[in-house]
Short mmCIF file of all heavy atoms in Angstrom, two decimals:
data_model
loop_
_atom_site.label_atom_id
_atom_site.label_comp_id
_atom_site.label_asym_id
_atom_site.label_seq_id
_atom_site.Cartn_x
_atom_site.Cartn_y
_atom_site.Cartn_z
N MET A 1 -21.09 5.49 -45.47
CA MET A 1 -21.87 4.93 -44.36
C MET A 1 -21.61 3.41 -44.31
O MET A 1 -21.56 2.75 -45.32
CB MET A 1 -23.35 5.21 -44.52
CG MET A 1 -24.20 4.76 -43.37
SD MET A 1 -25.95 5.01 -43.52
CE MET A 1 -26.02 6.75 -43.45
N PHE A 19 -45.85 3.33 -34.94
CA PHE A 19 -46.43 4.32 -35.82
C PHE A 19 -47.88 4.70 -35.48
O PHE A 19 -48.57 5.34 -36.24
CB PHE A 19 -46.36 3.84 -37.30
CG PHE A 19 -47.01 2.55 -37.58
CD1 PHE A 19 -48.41 2.49 -37.83
CD2 PHE A 19 -46.32 1.38 -37.61
CE1 PHE A 19 -49.06 1.29 -38.13
CE2 PHE A 19 -46.94 0.17 -37.89
CZ PHE A 19 -48.30 0.15 -38.16
N ASN A 22 -51.24 2.87 -30.30
CA ASN A 22 -51.22 1.48 -29.70
C ASN A 22 -49.81 0.85 -29.74
O ASN A 22 -49.65 -0.31 -29.45
CB ASN A 22 -52.20 0.57 -30.39
CG ASN A 22 -53.58 1.07 -30.22
OD1 ASN A 22 -53.99 1.54 -29.12
ND2 ASN A 22 -54.43 1.02 -31.24
N GLU A 24 -48.06 0.02 -32.35
CA GLU A 24 -47.94 -0.97 -33.43
C GLU A 24 -46.70 -0.69 -34.18
O GLU A 24 -46.33 0.46 -34.42
CB GLU A 24 -49.17 -0.83 -34.35
CG GLU A 24 -49.40 -2.00 -35.24
CD GLU A 24 -50.11 -3.15 -34.51
OE1 GLU A 24 -51.13 -2.92 -33.94
OE2 GLU A 24 -49.53 -4.23 -34.51
N ILE A 26 -44.11 -2.26 -37.67
CA ILE A 26 -44.18 -3.10 -38.88
C ILE A 26 -44.04 -4.58 -38.47
O ILE A 26 -44.71 -5.45 -39.00
CB ILE A 26 -43.06 -2.74 -39.85
CG1 ILE A 26 -43.34 -1.31 -40.42
CG2 ILE A 26 -42.98 -3.74 -41.04
CD1 ILE A 26 -42.24 -0.71 -41.26
N ALA A 39 -48.43 -19.29 -41.21
CA ALA A 39 -47.05 -19.48 -41.71
C ALA A 39 -46.31 -20.51 -40.85
O ALA A 39 -46.76 -20.84 -39.74
CB ALA A 39 -46.37 -18.15 -41.73
N ASP A 40 -45.17 -20.89 -41.34
CA ASP A 40 -44.30 -21.78 -40.60
C ASP A 40 -44.04 -21.29 -39.22
O ASP A 40 -43.65 -20.15 -39.02
CB ASP A 40 -42.98 -22.01 -41.38
CG ASP A 40 -42.09 -23.07 -40.77
OD1 ASP A 40 -41.31 -22.66 -39.91
OD2 ASP A 40 -42.25 -24.23 -41.15
N MET A 43 -40.72 -19.48 -38.53
CA MET A 43 -40.62 -18.06 -39.04
C MET A 43 -41.35 -17.14 -38.04
O MET A 43 -40.84 -16.07 -37.77
CB MET A 43 -41.24 -17.97 -40.47
CG MET A 43 -41.12 -16.62 -41.04
SD MET A 43 -39.39 -16.27 -41.28
CE MET A 43 -39.49 -14.53 -41.70
N ILE A 44 -42.48 -17.57 -37.55
CA ILE A 44 -43.19 -16.79 -36.56
C ILE A 44 -42.33 -16.61 -35.34
O ILE A 44 -42.25 -15.50 -34.74
CB ILE A 44 -44.55 -17.43 -36.19
CG1 ILE A 44 -45.49 -17.32 -37.42
CG2 ILE A 44 -45.17 -16.75 -34.99
CD1 ILE A 44 -46.79 -18.04 -37.34
N GLY A 62 -15.11 -1.17 -19.41
CA GLY A 62 -14.11 -1.93 -18.84
C GLY A 62 -14.55 -3.30 -18.40
O GLY A 62 -15.70 -3.66 -18.58
N SER A 65 -12.45 -9.07 -13.89
CA SER A 65 -12.34 -10.54 -14.04
C SER A 65 -12.90 -10.90 -15.45
O SER A 65 -12.36 -10.41 -16.41
CB SER A 65 -13.15 -11.18 -12.88
OG SER A 65 -13.03 -12.59 -12.95
#
Side-chain angles (χ1 to χ4, degrees):
M1 184 182 291
F19 59 83
N22 296 322
E24 198 79 58
I26 294 172
D40 185 272
M43 185 63 192
I44 292 173
S65 183

